[in-house]
Amino acid sequence: MDWNKTKTIFIVIFFILDLFLARQFMVKREANQLEMISERTGEELLQEANITFKESPSSNQKAGYIKAYVHTFTEKETSSLKDQKIEVQEDGKEIHGEFTKPTSLPTSDEKNKLEDFVKKNMINGDQYKLVQVDKEGGQITFAQLYSQKPVYDNTKTFITIQLNEKNEMVSYKQRMLEQFEQRTEAETVKTPVNAVTELYDSNKVNQGSKVRMDLGYYAYFPPATDSQILAPTWRVTVDKDKGEVEVYYVTALD
Amino acid sequence: MRYENIKTVVLSCLILISLILTWTLWTYTPTYDKMENNPSYVDDVKIGKTKMLEDHIQPSLILAHFASTHKGLLNKDMDTWTNEMKKWSISDVVRISNTSFERPEDFYDFVHGNQTMEILYPTEMSLSTFQSMYEVKGTMPSGTFDRIILKPGQADNVSQSVRIYFVNYETEEIYEANIKGFNEAAWEKHYKDIQSNGQDYIAFKREDKSVLFLPEQPTPLQQKSYKQEMISSDKFRNALFDNMKIVEENELSGQTVYNDSKRMLELSKTKPLMAYTNYEDATQSDQSVVTDKEGAIKRSFDFVNAHAGWTDPYYLTEWNSDASYQSVTFQLHEDYYPVFNDDDLSKVTLKSSGQNISEYKRPTFQLGKLSDEYGKKIKLPSGKAVIKEIEGKENFDDSKLKNIIVGYELQTEKDFTNVITLKPYWFYKYDGIWYKIVDKAEQGGDKDGLE
């Protein structure tokens, strides 16, 4: 057999093979790039749907799962409270307080003044943050903080202040969690864009909505025990018609 | 000679390039976070075997109707029939108007008339569920059915093809289709086969002319005993939670509870039962979310399949759909007979809202070895006697009577351990509830309600 001729044939064969392999490689790379692109379009999708963020939420926040226990209020704690009548309920897990003198709602700088009021008048009040002032419903809601992030909508920790018809603060209820433990290492949470895209995909956020994003801790149900696991969760407040708002929770870690 | 040298170099280069390309092609992976790097990732848990949907949706009865008699396929021959169905290819499913029926009984004549084969399912289901099981070409209309009707082609039809209809007995919807893989000869063979080998069925006619079929004299069935094999609770925990680091275990009175911030798994300490709830899906499903009703059965089946939870022959028996949630039940069967139990020890029930499963309840044991002891054969009362007994119920209303069948009752030992006994009985569904008929001679006439 003529080696020179064989070489020529081999050159042709390998050339064709290389072309084929190169093409395969391109196809594979393109397919992967397409996936990357489809991930990026979350932002474009929200732009198209005209969904805007009320305050630009900070990306790249870190959080992990935590565990906490229900706090039982002691007599030492309750006796330190002044100018209020205290009633201890549920074996010390909840306290009901009634102010001897009703206090009017602040007219300016509401958030700071209310948080200040809680700090001065309630047990560990500095650990609570204002969540909602509902004058129609006659109630102000506060959430307990863990490493600066609130524990939202939890039946085992809250402060609610009740208002009378004159919008004066007359009484309150409090529950508290303690012994917070970090259960998983803090990791970068889902971006606000991705969290809202999820809600948009399931038709919970309409086009043209204004949304507010807050990162906190949340449990979807109250376990029967005195301990509970809380997950880093986005609290998404969506403005609806007539000044109403709708609140959704989106898991911040997958 | 120099020319040849260049050729050698070129060839070497080409070979080298092909090797490099092959290597990169094999090893090329995009820059994703790999699952293996995530320590909390748990390997897929397999409890039983992964199954096919068509093996878990089985007909409850196959009837051949003759001029004045009705015959039913014996349960022991059911396998042959379901294998036959796997060869089918359905196409062009269209809804046909049922206004051609002048009198109400004409619809029932169409379904139960002479020269008709009727395949009954225990519950209605969407046509798309049928498409998930068997080959159907083209799009399925959105509709429901609970039985399939097979009739031979009309005499003047040259193609001699079988006519197939999907029928919803309650709403009287009829869908006509073309069928391949089941010709008239095959139809004839099965029809004749049931005629010679099947058992006699009697018709219970309701006031509104609708008909219920039950065996005239059911085949005597053997009482059976199985060893009860418990499935480790760790398996369910690992299958249903995805990050073990955040799963809490608590011993409460009567049950062990596992939970994280969204999910809860309750394992009863007194009965071999578990209940799993995903609160994220249970609480966040509002009306604005379009629930995919038609996909509920497939979705529920796939959920159990994902952890290979089909441990025993659990067949579809119920599909309830509501505006906010869907409930699907798969019930244990023994030789195609349904198995009943007061404590829900023979049922796998799933609820879904939106696209996800929010509730999953099931027994935590599987049937082990069949006991060697030869159980006694039990002869059940005749179909006529059973009808007489049911009609004797106080304020009997035949429109509330939905079904009369032969099945097994699952009986456990007092402490729910070791042995599972299956005992044959007649059962009937009245006003949404299943009742067991206890033979008067055996139990002195007391009637046990079965809920």
Side-chain angles (χ1 to χ4, degrees), chain B residues 285-317:
Chain B
S285 68
D286 49 319
Q287 304 296 324
S288 65
V289 183
V290 187
T291 37
D292 171 19
K293 285 188 182 178
E294 302 207 334
I297 293 170
K298 176 95 168 70
R299 186 162 62 236
S300 302
F301 179 81
D302 288 345
F303 180 85
V304 179
N305 232 1
H307 54 270
W310 295 117
T311 46
D312 282 309
Y314 288 97
Y315 300 157
L316 176 76
T317 49

Side-chain angles (χ1 to χ4, degrees), chain B residues 4-273:
Chain B
E4 284 307 317
N5 278 340
I6 292 167
K7 267 169 75 177
T8 310
V9 171
V10 169
L11 180 58
S12 312
C13 283
L14 283 172
I15 290 171
L16 201 69
I17 290 169
S18 77
L19 284 174
I20 292 168
L21 276 171
T22 310
W23 178 250
T24 45
L25 202 59
W26 275 347
T27 56
Y28 181 81
T29 41
T31 49
Y32 289 140
D33 284 339
K34 277 188 191 164
M35 284 298 241
E36 292 89 351
N37 295 342
N38 189 341
S40 60
Y41 173 76
V42 182
D43 276 330
D44 277 357
V45 183
K46 296 265 175 275
I47 288 165
K49 284 180 194 146
T50 310
K51 293 291 185 61
M52 303 297 282
L53 183 62
E54 59 267 34
D55 293 327
H56 286 261
I57 300 182
Q58 301 285 2
S60 51
L61 180 59
I62 292 162
L63 289 170
H65 298 291
F66 304 91
S68 59
T69 55
H70 315 279
K71 287 221 164 189
L73 187 76
L74 294 174
N75 283 27
K76 67 176 177 64
D77 299 326
M78 198 70 104
D79 281 334
T80 355
W81 178 258
T82 48
N83 285 330
E84 181 80 56
M85 281 182 77
K86 285 176 186 169
K87 293 183 227 156
W88 289 7
S89 170
I90 309 287
S91 61
D92 309 308
V93 186
V94 280
R95 182 165 183 175
I96 56 168
S97 156
N98 50 7
T99 48
S100 53
F101 301 121
E102 278 168 23
R103 302 166 305 148
E105 48 265 52
D106 288 348
F107 169 76
Y108 302 113
D109 282 346
F110 170 80
V111 177
H112 313 303
N114 189 18
Q115 292 271 303
T116 307
M117 273 181 76
E118 187 182 350
I119 302 151
L120 292 89
Y121 286 92
T123 175
E124 60 164 43
M125 56 186 139
S126 66
L127 287 165
S128 65
T129 305
F130 187 84
Q131 197 169 22
S132 307
M133 299 191 281
Y134 301 105
E135 190 180 311
V136 178
K137 286 181 182 142
T139 47
M140 266 292 197
S142 74
T144 54
F145 75 104
D146 67 350
R147 58 195 74 199
I148 295 170
I149 304 298
L150 294 162
K151 287 172 185 276
Q154 279 137 318
D156 56 339
N157 193 331
V158 204
S159 65
Q160 293 266 303
S161 62
V162 173
R163 290 176 298 150
I164 181 169
Y165 304 91
F166 294 87
V167 174
N168 186 322
Y169 203 59
E170 193 93 22
T171 61
E172 302 191 4
E173 287 165 65
I174 302 173
Y175 298 85
E176 192 175 20
N178 287 328
I179 179 167
K180 272 184 189 157
F182 189 69
N183 58 19
E184 195 145 333
W187 181 91
E188 191 81 25
K189 182 184 153 288
H190 282 283
Y191 188 70
K192 287 261 165 66
D193 194 49
I194 298 174
Q195 186 172 28
S196 46
N197 299 321
Q199 59 179 333
D200 292 320
Y201 271 72
I202 51 171
F204 171 79
K205 279 202 180 82
R206 297 191 190 90
E207 230 168 276
D208 67 354
K209 311 284 184 209
S210 64
V211 189
L212 204 58
F213 292 93
L214 62 159
E216 191 167 0
Q217 183 54 61
T219 330
L221 292 175
Q222 192 187 327
Q223 180 173 321
K224 293 176 175 182
S225 290
Y226 284 97
K227 203 170 159 1
Q228 178 181 335
E229 268 177 25
M230 290 303 293
I231 305 163
S232 137
S233 58
D234 289 359
K235 280 191 177 176
F236 286 113
R237 188 198 60 194
N238 294 344
L240 296 165
F241 291 94
D242 44 31
N243 187 349
M244 286 311 134
K245 275 204 227 157
I246 53 164
V247 177
E248 292 286 297
E249 181 182 344
N250 286 298
E251 300 290 328
L252 301 180
S253 64
Q255 55 181 9
T256 306
V257 178
Y258 296 97
N259 75 273
D260 61 12
S261 63
K262 288 181 204 169
R263 290 163 278 225
M264 179 159 81
L265 171 64
E266 295 158 283
L267 291 143
S268 165
K269 281 182 193 167
T270 49
K271 294 171 189 174
L273 283 172

Side-chain angles (χ1 to χ4, degrees), chain A residues 4 7-8 10-11 14 18 21 25 28-29 32 35 65 67 183 204 220-221 225 229 231 249 251, chain B residues 4 7-8 11 14 17-18 22 25 28 30 32 245-246 248 250 260-262 279-280 284 286:
Chain A
N4 289 344
K7 253 197 307 202
T8 315
F10 266 47
I11 285 173
F14 270 94
D18 283 356
L21 286 173
F25 184 70
K28 202 167 176 179
R29 220 181 56 169
N32 281 317
E35 268 173 49
Y65 287 88
K67 182 181 177 179
R183 288 306 291 266
K204 283 172 185 157
Y220 284 91
F221 72 105
T225 50
I229 294 280
Y249 290 96
T251 309
Chain B
E4 284 307 317
K7 267 169 75 177
T8 310
L11 180 58
L14 283 172
I17 290 169
S18 77
T22 310
L25 202 59
Y28 181 81
Y32 289 140
K245 275 204 227 157
I246 53 164
E248 292 286 297
N250 286 298
D260 61 12
S261 63
K262 288 181 204 169
Y279 288 90
E280 184 180 20
Q284 294 225 330
D286 49 319

Side-chain angles (χ1 to χ4, degrees), chain B residues 187-436:
Chain B
W187 181 91
E188 191 81 25
K189 182 184 153 288
H190 282 283
Y191 188 70
K192 287 261 165 66
D193 194 49
I194 298 174
Q195 186 172 28
S196 46
N197 299 321
Q199 59 179 333
D200 292 320
Y201 271 72
I202 51 171
F204 171 79
K205 279 202 180 82
R206 297 191 190 90
E207 230 168 276
D208 67 354
K209 311 284 184 209
S210 64
V211 189
L212 204 58
F213 292 93
L214 62 159
E216 191 167 0
Q217 183 54 61
T219 330
L221 292 175
Q222 192 187 327
Q223 180 173 321
K224 293 176 175 182
S225 290
Y226 284 97
K227 203 170 159 1
Q228 178 181 335
E229 268 177 25
M230 290 303 293
I231 305 163
S232 137
S233 58
D234 289 359
K235 280 191 177 176
F236 286 113
R237 188 198 60 194
N238 294 344
L240 296 165
F241 291 94
D242 44 31
N243 187 349
M244 286 311 134
K245 275 204 227 157
I246 53 164
V247 177
E248 292 286 297
E249 181 182 344
N250 286 298
E251 300 290 328
L252 301 180
S253 64
Q255 55 181 9
T256 306
V257 178
Y258 296 97
N259 75 273
D260 61 12
S261 63
K262 288 181 204 169
R263 290 163 278 225
M264 179 159 81
L265 171 64
E266 295 158 283
L267 291 143
S268 165
K269 281 182 193 167
T270 49
K271 294 171 189 174
L273 283 172
M274 59 147 264
Y276 162 86
T277 316
N278 185 334
Y279 288 90
E280 184 180 20
D281 300 317
T283 52
Q284 294 225 330
S285 68
D286 49 319
Q287 304 296 324
S288 65
V289 183
V290 187
T291 37
D292 171 19
K293 285 188 182 178
E294 302 207 334
I297 293 170
K298 176 95 168 70
R299 186 162 62 236
S300 302
F301 179 81
D302 288 345
F303 180 85
V304 179
N305 232 1
H307 54 270
W310 295 117
T311 46
D312 282 309
Y314 288 97
Y315 300 157
L316 176 76
T317 49
E318 266 175 66
W319 172 50
N320 293 314
S321 86
D322 194 277
S324 54
Y325 77 87
Q326 307 266 307
S327 161
V328 177
T329 301
F330 294 87
Q331 195 170 343
L332 183 67
H333 279 67
E334 175 74 19
D335 301 331
Y336 295 98
Y337 291 101
V339 178
F340 294 87
N341 178 271
D342 282 337
D343 293 308
D344 283 345
L345 294 178
S346 60
K347 276 180 182 176
V348 175
T349 304
L350 297 111
K351 277 186 188 168
S352 58
S353 43
Q355 287 294 327
N356 299 302
I357 300 298
S358 52
E359 240 181 85
Y360 170 37
K361 287 183 182 167
R362 62 166 295 154
T364 52
F365 66 87
Q366 52 186 349
L367 299 182
K369 236 181 104 195
L370 190 65
S371 169
D372 292 334
E373 279 170 63
Y374 204 76
K376 55 179 175 182
K377 274 203 169 174
I378 293 170
K379 188 172 176 259
L380 294 170
S382 71
K384 279 204 178 85
V386 163
I387 290 175
K388 213 179 143 207
E389 159 129 18
I390 298 169
E391 278 180 329
K393 233 176 128 85
E394 224 176 296
N395 301 324
F396 176 75
D397 173 0
D398 67 9
S399 69
K400 286 181 178 167
L401 181 63
K402 293 296 174 202
N403 212 344
I404 308 174
I405 50 166
V406 171
Y408 285 99
E409 186 183 48
L410 188 153
Q411 299 174 336
T412 49
E413 312 227 307
K414 270 216 179 80
D415 55 353
F416 296 99
T417 50
N418 299 323
V419 181
I420 295 282
T421 304
L422 302 180
K423 200 176 171 189
Y425 285 101
W426 277 99
F427 294 89
Y428 65 97
K429 193 182 190 181
Y430 186 82
D431 208 9
I433 297 167
W434 282 100
Y435 295 92
K436 173 177 85 176

